[in-house]
Amino acid sequence: MPAEDIYNAFCESVISGNKNFLTLMSLEMRNQLLANSSFIGKDLSQINENVFFHYMENADSDDVFNEYLIDLWKTYNTSSFYKNKPKMLHKNVLNDYKVVRNLKMDVDEKGLAKLNYYYNMNHQTEIDRNIQFGDILKMRSKDQNKYILCITPHCDCLHPDNINGLYFFVKGSETGIGNGLKAPDAEYISFIKSDKEEIVCIEWSLKPFTIYLCAEQRKINGSHSILYMNNPCKVQYVASLKDNYTQRISNQAFSHSSRVGIPFVKTNGANSDSSSS
């Protein structure tokens, strides 16, 4: 098939697609990344490689060093998108696209929930490792709608002996997507995918507690039996939240233990004991 026919068939496929905005944006960003790839490493190559290997020898673990290098290259790769914004993201292009496609602004809850899922999830995590800050475990018990979120600081997850294997968690329960979408940035909500690839909304309780995890139970690539509230319970890793979403929940949870109760006299003469912070 001639190159021109291949090009025309490709264009027709993109134009006739009902989700071609993201396709076009991805193509442009891919081309921009490819065009800039020949310059990647130009500044980094001026750093003496002994510095990197020195850091490798002194890093807390191989994972820490590997994540640093990956993050370094990721930042270097994507910096061009901030310096030269893709044309598909320009306001006039977006407005023209909406007019040409005659887009209606009617959206369903499932679509919004899926967008929030991509917002709050860490999609670059591996599962051949120990539990980390932000990991969500599902409780495999009679109550199938309960989850726990690890809010143990990164440094303690890397060195669990420092905390005697006692990890901090908060508990969450499934709630309706409609409830989660009302004010997800005001509440403490997370969006994950279920075993059936459906979006599930979790509402977190902000009372932290600890669970002891032995070396085997710290691994997330399988199901483990733990003691929760002195009762045996099986848990299994399901997802990882991005750090900033987890940190927001963690900050609020740990502030719960900082509350101070103070007595005051009310106008009706009865004493009160306020537990607000």
Side-chain angles (χ1 to χ4, degrees):
M1 181 182 290
E4 184 176 351
D5 291 344
I6 296 176
Y7 176 78
N8 290 335
F10 175 77
C11 291
E12 181 61 32
S13 175
V14 172
I15 293 171
S16 61
N18 62 351
K19 299 179 181 178
N20 54 15
F21 168 71
L22 291 179
T23 301
L24 292 170
M25 187 184 73
S26 298
L27 287 171
E28 183 186 5
M29 296 180 78
R30 189 180 303 173
N31 289 337
Q32 186 172 326
L33 183 62
L34 182 62
N36 293 319
S37 62
S38 59
F39 300 100
I40 294 175
K42 183 178 179 181
D43 292 335
L44 294 178
S45 62
Q46 298 177 11
I47 302 176
N48 192 312
E49 64 182 14
N50 291 336
V51 174
F52 290 103
F53 287 100
H54 171 79
Y55 179 48
M56 183 183 74
E57 294 296 326
N58 291 276
D60 288 333
S61 68
D62 291 342
D63 289 339
V64 171
F65 178 69
N66 292 339
E67 287 178 9
Y68 166 74
L69 287 183
I70 292 172
D71 188 63
L72 185 68
W73 282 101
K74 181 175 66 175
T75 302
Y76 215 89
N77 268 279
T78 57
S79 61
S80 64
F81 297 135
Y82 298 96
K83 297 175 182 176
N84 302 301
K85 187 167 66 173
K87 293 180 180 178
M88 282 297 295
L89 299 182
H90 288 187
K91 191 69 175 179
N92 60 326
V93 175
L94 294 173
N95 288 332
D96 289 346
Y97 181 89
K98 287 193 297 182
V99 172
V100 171
R101 297 288 292 179
N102 192 27
L103 295 182
K104 307 298 181 182
M105 294 300 103
D106 52 334
V107 293
D108 59 9
E109 290 183 345
K110 289 184 178 180
L112 294 174
K114 193 169 186 178
L115 185 59
N116 282 338
Y117 162 75
Y118 284 105
Y119 251 133
N120 73 174
M121 281 293 105
N122 179 1
H123 304 280
Q124 300 174 335
T125 187
E126 59 174 330
I127 60 172
D128 187 20
R129 58 171 176 80
N130 288 342
I131 190 169
Q132 292 179 355
F133 180 77
D135 287 344
I136 299 175
L137 308 179
K138 185 169 186 179
M139 304 175 74
R140 303 288 184 182
S141 60
K142 293 181 180 179
D143 190 349
Q144 290 291 317
N145 299 322
K146 301 295 182 183
Y147 301 81
I148 53 176
L149 168 67
C150 179
I151 56 171
T152 309
H154 280 294
C155 54
D156 289 333
C157 290
L158 288 172
H159 303 285
D161 291 340
N162 293 345
I163 54 174
N164 298 317
L166 291 170
Y167 288 75
F168 280 101
F169 292 90
V170 290
K171 187 177 180 180
S173 304
E174 289 186 14
T175 186
I177 289 178
N179 292 333
L181 290 173
K182 287 179 180 177
D185 52 348
E187 304 297 332
Y188 295 89
I189 300 291
S190 296
F191 296 85
I192 69 170
K193 273 188 179 179
S194 69
D195 298 336
K196 299 179 181 179
E197 293 295 304
E198 297 175 345
I199 303 300
V200 173
C201 185
I202 304 174
E203 186 173 8
W204 298 104
S205 169
L206 300 176
K207 296 181 179 180
F209 56 89
T210 58
I211 295 178
Y212 174 76
L213 300 178
C214 68
E216 185 63 27
Q217 293 168 330
R218 296 166 196 164
K219 298 177 181 178
I220 65 170
N221 57 350
S223 179
H224 299 290
S225 182
I226 64 170
L227 276 179
Y228 172 73
M229 304 294 288
N230 294 323
N231 294 314
C233 174
K234 281 198 170 183
V235 295
Q236 187 164 11
Y237 169 83
V238 292
S240 296
L241 278 182
K242 289 179 180 177
D243 276 1
N244 54 335
Y245 286 83
T246 309
Q247 192 64 58
R248 178 174 177 269
I249 296 171
S250 176
N251 290 347
Q252 190 66 22
F254 283 120
S255 70
H256 184 270
S257 59
S258 301
R259 295 173 305 153
V260 178
I262 51 174
F264 276 112
V265 178
K266 294 182 179 179
T267 54
N268 60 12
N271 289 345
S272 67
D273 187 2
S274 172
S275 296
S276 22
S277 55

